[in-house]
């Protein structure tokens, strides 16, 4: 008992060797509530600005002809849970860890995908409609996917699906985006200004989520290396497989980029909520950090993809401009020649 007290906090509720789990302090609890409120408000503002880039008739077109949404559905609730299952089996992780990996794969798309879709010049109408539909469908698809894939390790009845959190995410997404769409319809010039401000706020939001998560849960960063590896591979697999499937389905490049981001970008906040509601403190000590790991790497790789796209666009855009200028000069030269030598022009018959 003396050895434990020298290693663990006196307030620790669980103490086993060097592994301790201290109860959340009042300060952290208050900070968590304040930060959640601030982030929710900021998220609503960002989604309002993203809605300012969505045209109502195009959005409704995706709903009426939902081929793009259907491809996203297959990626979100087909590819991601299956990939999580394969990774869990391949790395031979503990059952409770495998369940958390699968929960991450079953979560709907995150709102950060909408911000990044704007930066990579994707289809914003498709991005918003996919995020909205995946969040709505998650009410039924998450329990179904978890029932199918987690049966190997655990009774799925022990997993708590926070329908209130999903509902809150849905409201925080749909209402601001709807208002933004209305503003874009009525005042398109003002909507462009709001969109630019919102894209900057979106970058701040992504950084805040990463920093706050690291500060509030810094005691949980000691975790099994296998989960770090899975957390690194998982988002890469989501981006790659989403892009490939969209391309196989015949979607244009800008929509392939959109589907890829929607597939790899998961709602990690929702995953954290489910994990907290579903597992004991002992299990949380083993798995709670995984959503944070996934969140970090999904942002890191998205930033790398964004950098590659911007570099490619800059290089190819310069070449295309030079080619266009050369073509224009040739056309102008031919026109001048024909004007000077009218007798050599072919008869227009």
């Amino acid at each position: 008992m003396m050895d434990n007290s020298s290693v663990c906090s006196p307030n620790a509720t669980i103490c086993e060797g060097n592994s301790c789990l201290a109860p959340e302090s009042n300060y952290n609890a208050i900070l968590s509530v304040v930060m959640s409120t601030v982030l929710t408000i900021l998220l609503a503002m960002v989604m309002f600005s993203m809605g300012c880039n969505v045209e109502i008739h195009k959005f409704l077109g995706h709903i009426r002809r939902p081929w793009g949404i259907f491809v996203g559905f297959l990626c979100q609730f087909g590819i991601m849970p299956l990939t999580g299952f394969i990774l869990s089996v391949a790395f031979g992780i503990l059952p409770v860890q495998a369940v958390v990996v699968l929960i991450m794969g079953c979560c709907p798309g995150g709102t950060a995908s909408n911000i990044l879709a704007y930066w990579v010049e994707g289809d914003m109408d498709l991005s918003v409609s996919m995020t909205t539909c995946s969040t709505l469908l998650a009410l039924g698809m998450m329990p179904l996917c978890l029932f199918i894939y987690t049966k190997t390790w655990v009774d799925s009845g022990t997993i708590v699906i926070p329908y209130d959190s999903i509902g809150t995410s849905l409201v925080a997404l749909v209402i601001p985006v709807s208002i933004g769409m209305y503003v874009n319809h009525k005042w398109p010039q003002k909507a462009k200004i709001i969109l630019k401000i919102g894209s900057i706020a979106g970058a701040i939001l992504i950084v805040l989520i990463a920093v706050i998560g690291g500060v509030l849960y810094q005691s949980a960063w000691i975790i099994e290396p296998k989960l770090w590896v899975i957390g690194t591979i998982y988002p890469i697999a989501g981006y790659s497989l989403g892009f490939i499937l969209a391309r196989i389905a015949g979607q244009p490049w800008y929509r392939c980029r959109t589907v890829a981001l929607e597939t790899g970008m998961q709602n990690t906040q929702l995953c954290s909520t489910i994990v907290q509601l579903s597992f004991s403190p002992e299990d949380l000590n083993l798995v709670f950090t995984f959503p944070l790991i996934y969140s970090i790497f999904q942002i890191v790789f998205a930033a790398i993809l964004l950098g590659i796209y911007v570099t490619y666009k800059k290089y190819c855009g310069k070449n295309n401009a030079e080619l266009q200028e050369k073509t224009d000069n040739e056309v102008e030269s031919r026109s001048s020649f024909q004007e000077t030598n009218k007798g050599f022009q072919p008869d227009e018959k």
Side-chain angles (χ1 to χ4, degrees):
M1 191 69 180
M2 291 297 293
D3 291 337
N4 284 347
S5 63
S6 64
V7 175
C8 301
S9 166
N11 296 325
T13 55
I14 298 169
C15 194
E16 185 177 343
N18 292 330
S19 177
C20 303
L21 186 64
E24 188 176 33
S25 66
N26 291 334
Y27 174 78
N28 273 2
I30 295 171
L31 181 62
S32 179
V33 172
V34 172
M35 288 296 103
S36 296
T37 304
V38 171
L39 290 177
T40 301
I41 295 172
L42 184 57
L43 174 62
M45 293 172 62
V46 170
M47 294 316 300
F48 163 68
S49 67
M50 293 296 107
C52 289
N53 197 42
V54 176
E55 297 180 28
I56 295 176
H57 69 280
K58 290 184 179 179
F59 179 80
L60 294 177
H62 283 299
I63 302 298
R64 286 193 292 263
R65 297 182 297 277
W67 178 236
I69 295 176
F70 179 69
V71 172
F73 171 81
L74 287 179
C75 294
Q76 192 68 61
F77 298 110
I79 287 178
M80 291 303 284
L82 179 60
T83 302
F85 180 80
I86 293 172
L87 287 173
S88 300
V89 173
F91 282 91
I93 56 179
L94 297 174
V96 65
Q97 295 171 334
V99 172
V100 173
V101 172
L102 283 164
I103 290 173
M104 177 60 72
C106 295
C107 282
T111 49
S113 60
N114 307 125
I115 302 168
L116 287 160
Y118 169 74
W119 287 341
V120 300
E121 298 181 342
D123 189 336
M124 282 298 298
D125 309 283
L126 177 61
S127 178
V128 170
S129 59
M130 281 180 64
T131 304
T132 304
C133 291
S134 68
T135 304
L136 182 61
L137 292 170
L139 294 168
M141 290 305 301
M142 283 190 72
L144 177 61
C145 290
L146 291 173
F147 175 78
I148 293 172
Y149 287 105
T150 64
K151 208 167 182 61
T152 306
W153 295 290
V154 67
D155 179 8
S156 59
T158 61
I159 300 173
V160 180
I161 305 297
Y163 293 103
D164 54 344
S165 295
I166 297 176
T168 301
S169 299
L170 192 60
V171 170
L173 172 67
V174 173
I175 294 179
V177 168
S178 302
I179 297 173
M181 291 168 62
Y182 178 79
V183 170
N184 188 30
H185 178 69
K186 285 289 185 180
W187 306 283
Q189 294 302 320
K190 292 182 179 179
K192 291 179 181 178
I193 298 173
I194 295 171
L195 180 61
K196 290 180 180 179
I197 298 172
S199 64
I200 297 172
I204 296 172
L205 177 65
I206 292 173
V207 173
L208 274 178
I209 291 174
V211 172
I212 290 170
V215 171
L216 286 180
Y217 307 110
Q218 56 185 325
S219 60
W221 285 111
I222 301 174
I223 196 170
E224 191 173 350
K226 289 181 181 179
L227 288 183
W228 280 97
V229 178
I230 293 174
T232 306
I233 296 174
Y234 209 172
I236 296 177
Y239 292 136
S240 304
L241 294 173
F243 187 92
I244 292 170
L245 183 59
R247 196 59 190 162
I248 292 173
Q251 297 296 302
W253 293 108
Y254 73 108
R255 286 187 180 171
C256 290
R257 295 194 297 270
T258 305
V259 173
L261 288 171
E262 288 292 330
T263 305
M265 278 278 177
Q266 298 293 83
N267 191 334
T268 54
Q269 294 83 9
L270 181 60
C271 180
S272 295
T273 302
I274 295 174
V275 170
Q276 289 182 72
L277 292 175
S278 302
F279 297 101
S280 65
E282 296 92 336
D283 291 336
L284 283 177
N285 208 28
L286 297 171
V287 299
F288 183 72
T289 311
F290 181 75
L292 301 176
I293 294 172
Y294 188 99
S295 178
I296 289 172
F297 283 107
Q298 76 175 2
I299 293 172
V300 167
F301 291 120
I304 293 172
L305 294 174
L306 175 62
I308 293 172
Y309 174 74
V310 170
T311 304
Y312 171 81
K313 180 188 170 187
K314 184 177 180 180
Y315 176 77
C316 291
K318 182 179 179 181
N319 286 351
N320 290 339
E322 291 174 352
L323 179 62
Q324 184 64 36
E325 184 178 355
K326 183 178 179 181
T327 304
D328 292 342
N329 289 338
E330 290 176 354
V331 171
E332 184 178 352
S333 178
R334 284 198 301 269
S335 299
S336 177
F337 176 80
Q338 290 173 355
E339 184 67 26
T340 306
N341 304 278
K342 290 182 179 179
F344 294 96
Q345 295 184 50
D347 293 337
E348 296 182 2
K349 292 183 179 179

